[in-house]
Amino acid sequence: MKYMLLIYGAEDSWTENERQECFGESAALCRALADDGKFLAASPLHSVTTATSVRVRDGKRLVTDGPFAETREQLGGYFLVDAANLDEAIAIAGRIPGARKGTVEVRPVVEIDGLPK
């Protein structure tokens, strides 16, 4: 089953040095997951200051700068993995460096027939 591991944290909780170390550790984790046949995708996101939110209300598109919700923690990146079950997905989430300073949300992915592979 596919699981999306969403990494949330306060952007200012990392120094630039720590961020670069986190990227290195994350890349190593991706390689280890790939070796085990579990890796599907992963990527950090640019700062929340670059975000744009889009909503459609009454047929009209509303575009605003920034994230939809003001929160202390922002979505900073993700891993998409193929895990046997929730327990395995949780174990992988615990290996993500961002979990040490933030939160990793684990969610199963709904697979819809007819989508491109």
PDB file of all heavy atoms in Angstrom, residues 18-47:
ATOM      1  N   GLU A  18      21.890  22.870   9.742  1.00  0.00           N
ATOM      2  CA  GLU A  18      21.016  21.746  10.094  1.00  0.00           C
ATOM      3  C   GLU A  18      20.149  21.326   8.907  1.00  0.00           C
ATOM      4  O   GLU A  18      19.928  20.146   8.677  1.00  0.00           O
ATOM      5  CB  GLU A  18      20.120  22.119  11.273  1.00  0.00           C
ATOM      6  CG  GLU A  18      20.839  22.260  12.585  1.00  0.00           C
ATOM      7  CD  GLU A  18      19.943  22.811  13.683  1.00  0.00           C
ATOM      8  OE1 GLU A  18      19.043  23.627  13.402  1.00  0.00           O
ATOM      9  OE2 GLU A  18      20.155  22.417  14.848  1.00  0.00           O
ATOM     10  N   ARG A  19      19.669  22.301   8.149  1.00  0.00           N
ATOM     11  CA  ARG A  19      18.833  22.008   6.977  1.00  0.00           C
ATOM     12  C   ARG A  19      19.630  21.194   5.953  1.00  0.00           C
ATOM     13  O   ARG A  19      19.142  20.211   5.412  1.00  0.00           O
ATOM     14  CB  ARG A  19      18.320  23.314   6.369  1.00  0.00           C
ATOM     15  CG  ARG A  19      17.285  23.122   5.285  1.00  0.00           C
ATOM     16  CD  ARG A  19      16.732  24.445   4.754  1.00  0.00           C
ATOM     17  NE  ARG A  19      16.429  25.449   5.765  1.00  0.00           N
ATOM     18  CZ  ARG A  19      15.354  25.438   6.551  1.00  0.00           C
ATOM     19  NH1 ARG A  19      14.467  24.483   6.443  1.00  0.00           N
ATOM     20  NH2 ARG A  19      15.155  26.386   7.444  1.00  0.00           N
ATOM     21  N   GLN A  20      20.872  21.588   5.701  1.00  0.00           N
ATOM     22  CA  GLN A  20      21.705  20.856   4.750  1.00  0.00           C
ATOM     23  C   GLN A  20      22.005  19.445   5.243  1.00  0.00           C
ATOM     24  O   GLN A  20      21.998  18.484   4.464  1.00  0.00           O
ATOM     25  CB  GLN A  20      22.997  21.628   4.457  1.00  0.00           C
ATOM     26  CG  GLN A  20      22.770  22.938   3.721  1.00  0.00           C
ATOM     27  CD  GLN A  20      21.954  22.769   2.445  1.00  0.00           C
ATOM     28  OE1 GLN A  20      22.195  21.876   1.641  1.00  0.00           O
ATOM     29  NE2 GLN A  20      20.963  23.637   2.266  1.00  0.00           N
ATOM     30  N   GLU A  21      22.246  19.296   6.549  1.00  0.00           N
ATOM     31  CA  GLU A  21      22.448  17.963   7.125  1.00  0.00           C
ATOM     32  C   GLU A  21      21.183  17.119   6.982  1.00  0.00           C
ATOM     33  O   GLU A  21      21.252  15.928   6.669  1.00  0.00           O
ATOM     34  CB  GLU A  21      22.854  18.074   8.597  1.00  0.00           C
ATOM     35  CG  GLU A  21      24.256  18.578   8.812  1.00  0.00           C
ATOM     36  CD  GLU A  21      24.598  18.760  10.282  1.00  0.00           C
ATOM     37  OE1 GLU A  21      23.907  18.174  11.155  1.00  0.00           O
ATOM     38  OE2 GLU A  21      25.557  19.501  10.557  1.00  0.00           O
ATOM     39  N   CYS A  22      20.030  17.739   7.205  1.00  0.00           N
ATOM     40  CA  CYS A  22      18.744  17.053   7.061  1.00  0.00           C
ATOM     41  C   CYS A  22      18.563  16.563   5.624  1.00  0.00           C
ATOM     42  O   CYS A  22      18.132  15.428   5.395  1.00  0.00           O
ATOM     43  CB  CYS A  22      17.612  17.990   7.465  1.00  0.00           C
ATOM     44  SG  CYS A  22      15.962  17.291   7.260  1.00  0.00           S
ATOM     45  N   PHE A  23      18.895  17.412   4.647  1.00  0.00           N
ATOM     46  CA  PHE A  23      18.784  17.011   3.244  1.00  0.00           C
ATOM     47  C   PHE A  23      19.677  15.806   2.968  1.00  0.00           C
ATOM     48  O   PHE A  23      19.272  14.865   2.282  1.00  0.00           O
ATOM     49  CB  PHE A  23      19.168  18.164   2.315  1.00  0.00           C
ATOM     50  CG  PHE A  23      18.185  19.312   2.278  1.00  0.00           C
ATOM     51  CD1 PHE A  23      18.554  20.515   1.711  1.00  0.00           C
ATOM     52  CD2 PHE A  23      16.904  19.201   2.805  1.00  0.00           C
ATOM     53  CE1 PHE A  23      17.673  21.584   1.657  1.00  0.00           C
ATOM     54  CE2 PHE A  23      16.010  20.265   2.767  1.00  0.00           C
ATOM     55  CZ  PHE A  23      16.401  21.460   2.184  1.00  0.00           C
ATOM     56  N   GLY A  24      20.901  15.822   3.494  1.00  0.00           N
ATOM     57  CA  GLY A  24      21.822  14.693   3.299  1.00  0.00           C
ATOM     58  C   GLY A  24      21.295  13.415   3.923  1.00  0.00           C
ATOM     59  O   GLY A  24      21.336  12.339   3.306  1.00  0.00           O
ATOM     60  N   GLU A  25      20.799  13.518   5.157  1.00  0.00           N
ATOM     61  CA  GLU A  25      20.223  12.350   5.835  1.00  0.00           C
ATOM     62  C   GLU A  25      18.997  11.833   5.098  1.00  0.00           C
ATOM     63  O   GLU A  25      18.784  10.623   4.984  1.00  0.00           O
ATOM     64  CB  GLU A  25      19.837  12.700   7.269  1.00  0.00           C
ATOM     65  CG  GLU A  25      20.992  12.840   8.223  1.00  0.00           C
ATOM     66  CD  GLU A  25      20.491  13.145   9.633  1.00  0.00           C
ATOM     67  OE1 GLU A  25      19.637  12.390  10.145  1.00  0.00           O
ATOM     68  OE2 GLU A  25      20.949  14.157  10.205  1.00  0.00           O
ATOM     69  N   SER A  26      18.178  12.763   4.603  1.00  0.00           N
ATOM     70  CA  SER A  26      16.964  12.372   3.877  1.00  0.00           C
ATOM     71  C   SER A  26      17.319  11.650   2.579  1.00  0.00           C
ATOM     72  O   SER A  26      16.680  10.657   2.220  1.00  0.00           O
ATOM     73  CB  SER A  26      16.102  13.602   3.582  1.00  0.00           C
ATOM     74  OG  SER A  26      15.610  14.152   4.790  1.00  0.00           O
ATOM     75  N   ALA A  27      18.341  12.137   1.881  1.00  0.00           N
ATOM     76  CA  ALA A  27      18.782  11.479   0.647  1.00  0.00           C
ATOM     77  C   ALA A  27      19.287  10.068   0.946  1.00  0.00           C
ATOM     78  O   ALA A  27      18.997   9.120   0.199  1.00  0.00           O
ATOM     79  CB  ALA A  27      19.861  12.307  -0.042  1.00  0.00           C
ATOM     80  N   ALA A  28      20.014   9.907   2.048  1.00  0.00           N
ATOM     81  CA  ALA A  28      20.492   8.579   2.439  1.00  0.00           C
ATOM     82  C   ALA A  28      19.312   7.660   2.759  1.00  0.00           C
ATOM     83  O   ALA A  28      19.316   6.472   2.387  1.00  0.00           O
ATOM     84  CB  ALA A  28      21.440   8.692   3.635  1.00  0.00           C
ATOM     85  N   LEU A  29      18.301   8.179   3.447  1.00  0.00           N
ATOM     86  CA  LEU A  29      17.109   7.389   3.750  1.00  0.00           C
ATOM     87  C   LEU A  29      16.403   6.983   2.459  1.00  0.00           C
ATOM     88  O   LEU A  29      15.966   5.839   2.311  1.00  0.00           O
ATOM     89  CB  LEU A  29      16.161   8.167   4.665  1.00  0.00           C
ATOM     90  CG  LEU A  29      14.819   7.519   4.975  1.00  0.00           C
ATOM     91  CD1 LEU A  29      14.984   6.125   5.579  1.00  0.00           C
ATOM     92  CD2 LEU A  29      13.995   8.411   5.891  1.00  0.00           C
ATOM     93  N   CYS A  30      16.319   7.897   1.507  1.00  0.00           N
ATOM     94  CA  CYS A  30      15.688   7.578   0.214  1.00  0.00           C
ATOM     95  C   CYS A  30      16.424   6.435  -0.478  1.00  0.00           C
ATOM     96  O   CYS A  30      15.793   5.523  -1.033  1.00  0.00           O
ATOM     97  CB  CYS A  30      15.656   8.804  -0.688  1.00  0.00           C
ATOM     98  SG  CYS A  30      14.505  10.079  -0.138  1.00  0.00           S
ATOM     99  N   ARG A  31      17.750   6.482  -0.456  1.00  0.00           N
ATOM    100  CA  ARG A  31      18.534   5.395  -1.074  1.00  0.00           C
ATOM    101  C   ARG A  31      18.294   4.069  -0.359  1.00  0.00           C
ATOM    102  O   ARG A  31      18.133   3.026  -0.999  1.00  0.00           O
ATOM    103  CB  ARG A  31      20.018   5.761  -1.095  1.00  0.00           C
ATOM    104  CG  ARG A  31      20.354   6.875  -2.090  1.00  0.00           C
ATOM    105  CD  ARG A  31      21.856   7.060  -2.269  1.00  0.00           C
ATOM    106  NE  ARG A  31      22.536   7.466  -1.045  1.00  0.00           N
ATOM    107  CZ  ARG A  31      22.641   8.713  -0.609  1.00  0.00           C
ATOM    108  NH1 ARG A  31      22.091   9.712  -1.297  1.00  0.00           N
ATOM    109  NH2 ARG A  31      23.294   8.981   0.505  1.00  0.00           N
ATOM    110  N   ALA A  32      18.233   4.105   0.970  1.00  0.00           N
ATOM    111  CA  ALA A  32      17.979   2.873   1.739  1.00  0.00           C
ATOM    112  C   ALA A  32      16.590   2.324   1.440  1.00  0.00           C
ATOM    113  O   ALA A  32      16.417   1.109   1.262  1.00  0.00           O
ATOM    114  CB  ALA A  32      18.138   3.139   3.238  1.00  0.00           C
ATOM    115  N   LEU A  33      15.599   3.205   1.363  1.00  0.00           N
ATOM    116  CA  LEU A  33      14.240   2.769   1.040  1.00  0.00           C
ATOM    117  C   LEU A  33      14.179   2.217  -0.379  1.00  0.00           C
ATOM    118  O   LEU A  33      13.487   1.225  -0.638  1.00  0.00           O
ATOM    119  CB  LEU A  33      13.247   3.925   1.203  1.00  0.00           C
ATOM    120  CG  LEU A  33      13.011   4.407   2.636  1.00  0.00           C
ATOM    121  CD1 LEU A  33      12.206   5.699   2.637  1.00  0.00           C
ATOM    122  CD2 LEU A  33      12.325   3.335   3.463  1.00  0.00           C
ATOM    123  N   ALA A  34      14.902   2.835  -1.309  1.00  0.00           N
ATOM    124  CA  ALA A  34      14.947   2.340  -2.693  1.00  0.00           C
ATOM    125  C   ALA A  34      15.562   0.952  -2.740  1.00  0.00           C
ATOM    126  O   ALA A  34      15.073   0.069  -3.456  1.00  0.00           O
ATOM    127  CB  ALA A  34      15.717   3.310  -3.585  1.00  0.00           C
ATOM    128  N   ASP A  35      16.621   0.736  -1.963  1.00  0.00           N
ATOM    129  CA  ASP A  35      17.260  -0.583  -1.913  1.00  0.00           C
ATOM    130  C   ASP A  35      16.291  -1.646  -1.415  1.00  0.00           C
ATOM    131  O   ASP A  35      16.382  -2.808  -1.803  1.00  0.00           O
ATOM    132  CB  ASP A  35      18.496  -0.549  -1.014  1.00  0.00           C
ATOM    133  CG  ASP A  35      19.652   0.224  -1.626  1.00  0.00           C
ATOM    134  OD1 ASP A  35      19.622   0.510  -2.855  1.00  0.00           O
ATOM    135  OD2 ASP A  35      20.583   0.566  -0.866  1.00  0.00           O
ATOM    136  N   ASP A  36      15.343  -1.244  -0.545  1.00  0.00           N
ATOM    137  CA  ASP A  36      14.344  -2.170   0.003  1.00  0.00           C
ATOM    138  C   ASP A  36      13.070  -2.223  -0.833  1.00  0.00           C
ATOM    139  O   ASP A  36      12.105  -2.892  -0.456  1.00  0.00           O
ATOM    140  CB  ASP A  36      13.971  -1.760   1.433  1.00  0.00           C
ATOM    141  CG  ASP A  36      15.108  -1.968   2.427  1.00  0.00           C
ATOM    142  OD1 ASP A  36      16.027  -2.760   2.137  1.00  0.00           O
ATOM    143  OD2 ASP A  36      15.067  -1.326   3.494  1.00  0.00           O
ATOM    144  N   GLY A  37      13.029  -1.477  -1.948  1.00  0.00           N
ATOM    145  CA  GLY A  37      11.847  -1.457  -2.804  1.00  0.00           C
ATOM    146  C   GLY A  37      10.685  -0.676  -2.217  1.00  0.00           C
ATOM    147  O   GLY A  37       9.534  -0.867  -2.620  1.00  0.00           O
ATOM    148  N   LYS A  38      10.953   0.225  -1.292  1.00  0.00           N
ATOM    149  CA  LYS A  38       9.893   0.981  -0.609  1.00  0.00           C
ATOM    150  C   LYS A  38       9.762   2.418  -1.101  1.00  0.00           C
ATOM    151  O   LYS A  38       8.765   3.071  -0.862  1.00  0.00           O
ATOM    152  CB  LYS A  38      10.153   1.030   0.909  1.00  0.00           C
ATOM    153  CG  LYS A  38      10.322  -0.322   1.564  1.00  0.00           C
ATOM    154  CD  LYS A  38       9.041  -1.071   1.585  1.00  0.00           C
ATOM    155  CE  LYS A  38       9.219  -2.430   2.243  1.00  0.00           C
ATOM    156  NZ  LYS A  38       8.087  -3.292   1.996  1.00  0.00           N
ATOM    157  N   PHE A  39      10.787   2.949  -1.780  1.00  0.00           N
ATOM    158  CA  PHE A  39      10.818   4.353  -2.170  1.00  0.00           C
ATOM    159  C   PHE A  39       9.995   4.600  -3.423  1.00  0.00           C
ATOM    160  O   PHE A  39      10.130   3.898  -4.421  1.00  0.00           O
ATOM    161  CB  PHE A  39      12.262   4.795  -2.427  1.00  0.00           C
ATOM    162  CG  PHE A  39      12.390   6.221  -2.882  1.00  0.00           C
ATOM    163  CD1 PHE A  39      12.324   7.247  -1.967  1.00  0.00           C
ATOM    164  CD2 PHE A  39      12.566   6.529  -4.219  1.00  0.00           C
ATOM    165  CE1 PHE A  39      12.440   8.566  -2.374  1.00  0.00           C
ATOM    166  CE2 PHE A  39      12.686   7.846  -4.637  1.00  0.00           C
ATOM    167  CZ  PHE A  39      12.619   8.858  -3.711  1.00  0.00           C
ATOM    168  N   LEU A  40       9.129   5.610  -3.376  1.00  0.00           N
ATOM    169  CA  LEU A  40       8.379   6.034  -4.557  1.00  0.00           C
ATOM    170  C   LEU A  40       8.727   7.468  -4.944  1.00  0.00           C
ATOM    171  O   LEU A  40       8.913   7.763  -6.118  1.00  0.00           O
ATOM    172  CB  LEU A  40       6.872   5.897  -4.323  1.00  0.00           C
ATOM    173  CG  LEU A  40       6.385   4.462  -4.081  1.00  0.00           C
ATOM    174  CD1 LEU A  40       4.914   4.448  -3.707  1.00  0.00           C
ATOM    175  CD2 LEU A  40       6.634   3.608  -5.318  1.00  0.00           C
ATOM    176  N   ALA A  41       8.819   8.378  -3.971  1.00  0.00           N
ATOM    177  CA  ALA A  41       9.174   9.773  -4.241  1.00  0.00           C
ATOM    178  C   ALA A  41       9.427  10.482  -2.913  1.00  0.00           C
ATOM    179  O   ALA A  41       8.958  10.035  -1.869  1.00  0.00           O
ATOM    180  CB  ALA A  41       8.050  10.482  -4.993  1.00  0.00           C
ATOM    181  N   ALA A  42      10.147  11.589  -2.976  1.00  0.00           N
ATOM    182  CA  ALA A  42      10.365  12.435  -1.801  1.00  0.00           C
ATOM    183  C   ALA A  42      10.889  13.775  -2.276  1.00  0.00           C
ATOM    184  O   ALA A  42      11.556  13.841  -3.319  1.00  0.00           O
ATOM    185  CB  ALA A  42      11.373  11.797  -0.839  1.00  0.00           C
ATOM    186  N   SER A  43      10.585  14.825  -1.524  1.00  0.00           N
ATOM    187  CA  SER A  43      11.112  16.138  -1.862  1.00  0.00           C
ATOM    188  C   SER A  43      10.818  17.125  -0.749  1.00  0.00           C
ATOM    189  O   SER A  43       9.736  17.104  -0.178  1.00  0.00           O
ATOM    190  CB  SER A  43      10.492  16.654  -3.162  1.00  0.00           C
ATOM    191  OG  SER A  43      11.126  17.841  -3.560  1.00  0.00           O
ATOM    192  N   PRO A  44      11.791  18.000  -0.460  1.00  0.00           N
ATOM    193  CA  PRO A  44      11.464  19.130   0.409  1.00  0.00           C
ATOM    194  C   PRO A  44      10.718  20.168  -0.418  1.00  0.00           C
ATOM    195  O   PRO A  44      10.753  20.139  -1.651  1.00  0.00           O
ATOM    196  CB  PRO A  44      12.845  19.644   0.837  1.00  0.00           C
ATOM    197  CG  PRO A  44      13.755  19.256  -0.279  1.00  0.00           C
ATOM    198  CD  PRO A  44      13.200  17.975  -0.850  1.00  0.00           C
ATOM    199  N   LEU A  45      10.062  21.082   0.261  1.00  0.00           N
ATOM    200  CA  LEU A  45       9.356  22.170  -0.401  1.00  0.00           C
ATOM    201  C   LEU A  45      10.074  23.488  -0.115  1.00  0.00           C
ATOM    202  O   LEU A  45      10.712  23.636   0.934  1.00  0.00           O
ATOM    203  CB  LEU A  45       7.915  22.250   0.113  1.00  0.00           C
ATOM    204  CG  LEU A  45       7.058  21.011  -0.119  1.00  0.00           C
ATOM    205  CD1 LEU A  45       5.702  21.175   0.553  1.00  0.00           C
ATOM    206  CD2 LEU A  45       6.904  20.732  -1.599  1.00  0.00           C
ATOM    207  N   HIS A  46       9.945  24.433  -1.027  1.00  0.00           N
ATOM    208  CA  HIS A  46      10.473  25.770  -0.776  1.00  0.00           C
ATOM    209  C   HIS A  46       9.706  26.388   0.387  1.00  0.00           C
ATOM    210  O   HIS A  46       8.644  25.911   0.794  1.00  0.00           O
ATOM    211  CB  HIS A  46      10.340  26.644  -2.024  1.00  0.00           C
ATOM    212  CG  HIS A  46      11.397  26.373  -3.046  1.00  0.00           C
ATOM    213  ND1 HIS A  46      12.669  26.869  -2.950  1.00  0.00           N
ATOM    214  CD2 HIS A  46      11.366  25.632  -4.173  1.00  0.00           C
ATOM    215  CE1 HIS A  46      13.373  26.470  -3.977  1.00  0.00           C
ATOM    216  NE2 HIS A  46      12.609  25.698  -4.747  1.00  0.00           N
ATOM    217  N   SER A  47      10.218  27.490   0.893  1.00  0.00           N
ATOM    218  CA  SER A  47       9.609  28.188   2.029  1.00  0.00           C
ATOM    219  C   SER A  47       8.127  28.479   1.792  1.00  0.00           C
ATOM    220  O   SER A  47       7.689  28.709   0.667  1.00  0.00           O
ATOM    221  CB  SER A  47      10.342  29.505   2.265  1.00  0.00           C
ATOM    222  OG  SER A  47       9.635  30.306   3.181  1.00  0.00           O
TER     223      SER A  47
END
